[in-house]
Amino acid sequence: YECSRGAEKLFCRPLTKLDTGCAGLCALAISPEPLEQQPDLESLNICYNFTVLVHGQVPETWKDGVYAKVPTKGVRQWKRQKTEDSGADDHDSSITLSTTAIDLDNAIFINSLDVLSISGAEQQDEQCISTLTVSSCHDEGRMANVIPYILRKLGYPVVCDRFAKREYSRLPRKMKNVLKQKICIGLYSLDIEFERVKQTVATEVHKRTQCEFWRNALEQVEQSTSCSLEV
């Protein structure tokens, strides 16, 4: 658009942060003038909307959404803080949930979208996975690390979280062959408010975060196995 107006130079400034290893969107401001001269950009209000696949069947109450405060510990410490062999059994009393709205500048909003129960010849016991959206306006750290930390402490670690190896080992071989240990969290939607005008920027959600994709994929595996046994 700016090129069509005859702009000879374009200046860019990142408006959002995206952690290394996290797929998704990164919004940029583009202008024919140096953006350092536009302090109005500081008034931007941005809400990050992540999609996450977690181990476990989350409570029914999460369908209506729940809030959790972002821990006050240093962001860089969250990434390094280790738990036992599995984060799923390591609940943290400092992470509490609320159905009462909390300012998302210092909190996250978790909403359950879908749950899948996994069973089959491969499985020694039934496993569940859940697709969630997690939204926050918190902009002072690595949210793609903060969110898995919170969910791990709540007992629902993100699939392929390096602190959830025990849960990962229980997944069907088909899933592990597709996942290839890539953590299942991505930033696929942004709500941007500037001068009282709101705009949503979104892209296609990666299939590995979707229960529906795994439901279809695992059904195909079961069907092909049944056909082989019949033959």
Side-chain angles (χ1 to χ4, degrees):
Y1 173 71
E2 294 292 349
C3 291
S4 66
R5 291 170 52 186
E8 296 181 359
K9 290 184 179 181
L10 293 178
F11 298 87
C12 299
R13 176 179 171 182
L15 301 178
T16 62
K17 302 172 183 177
L18 191 61
D19 304 309
T20 302
C22 178
L25 296 168
C26 185
L28 297 174
I30 301 175
S31 171
E33 300 177 358
L35 290 165
E36 289 75 12
Q37 300 176 9
Q38 299 185 17
D40 289 345
L41 288 177
E42 300 300 329
S43 64
L44 277 172
N45 184 22
I46 300 175
C47 184
Y48 300 82
N49 304 310
F50 291 84
T51 303
V52 190
L53 186 71
V54 300
H55 293 280
Q57 182 175 358
V58 300
E60 285 289 320
T61 54
W62 288 27
K63 288 184 178 180
D64 295 324
V66 291
Y67 294 83
K69 289 185 178 180
V70 173
T72 56
K73 294 181 181 179
V75 175
R76 296 185 182 276
Q77 294 178 5
W78 297 339
K79 185 176 181 181
R80 300 172 186 171
Q81 189 166 0
K82 295 186 177 181
T83 62
E84 300 292 332
D85 176 56
S86 166
D89 298 325
D90 185 19
H91 294 251
D92 187 344
S93 59
S94 66
I95 306 292
T96 57
L97 298 178
S98 172
T99 56
T100 304
I102 302 175
D103 186 357
L104 290 182
D105 285 345
N106 297 296
I108 64 173
F109 178 69
I110 308 169
N111 185 236
S112 172
L113 300 181
D114 197 3
V115 176
L116 172 62
S117 177
I118 302 171
S119 60
E122 268 188 63
Q123 302 304 109
Q124 296 179 353
D125 54 355
E126 189 176 67
Q127 304 292 317
C128 287
I129 53 175
S130 303
T131 295
L132 314 175
T133 57
V134 183
S135 302
S136 180
C137 299
H138 188 78
D139 198 24
E140 297 180 1
R142 302 172 176 177
M143 287 306 295
N145 286 302
V146 175
I147 291 170
Y149 172 85
I150 293 174
L151 292 172
R152 186 167 67 245
K153 293 298 184 181
L154 291 171
Y156 303 99
V158 177
V159 174
C160 293
D161 185 334
R162 63 194 180 109
F163 296 120
K165 293 181 180 178
R166 185 171 65 188
E167 289 83 357
Y168 177 80
S169 69
R170 295 174 179 170
L171 294 176
R173 187 181 298 108
K174 168 69 174 180
M175 285 191 68
K176 289 186 281 191
N177 288 343
V178 175
L179 288 169
K180 297 180 180 178
Q181 298 187 347
K182 294 181 179 177
I183 190 164
C184 294
I185 180 173
L187 177 61
Y188 303 112
S189 173
L190 294 165
D191 295 324
I192 302 174
E193 182 178 357
F194 181 58
E195 295 181 345
R196 298 185 180 181
V197 177
K198 294 182 179 180
Q199 181 178 5
T200 297
V201 180
T203 188
E204 184 178 359
V205 177
H206 198 288
K207 61 185 181 183
R208 68 170 172 262
T209 63
Q210 302 299 294
C211 284
E212 184 62 25
F213 166 75
W214 294 114
R215 185 177 290 113
N216 295 332
L218 294 175
E219 283 178 359
Q220 291 176 7
V221 172
E222 288 295 324
Q223 290 172 3
S224 61
T225 301
S226 299
C227 291
S228 299
L229 291 175
E230 291 175 3
V231 172

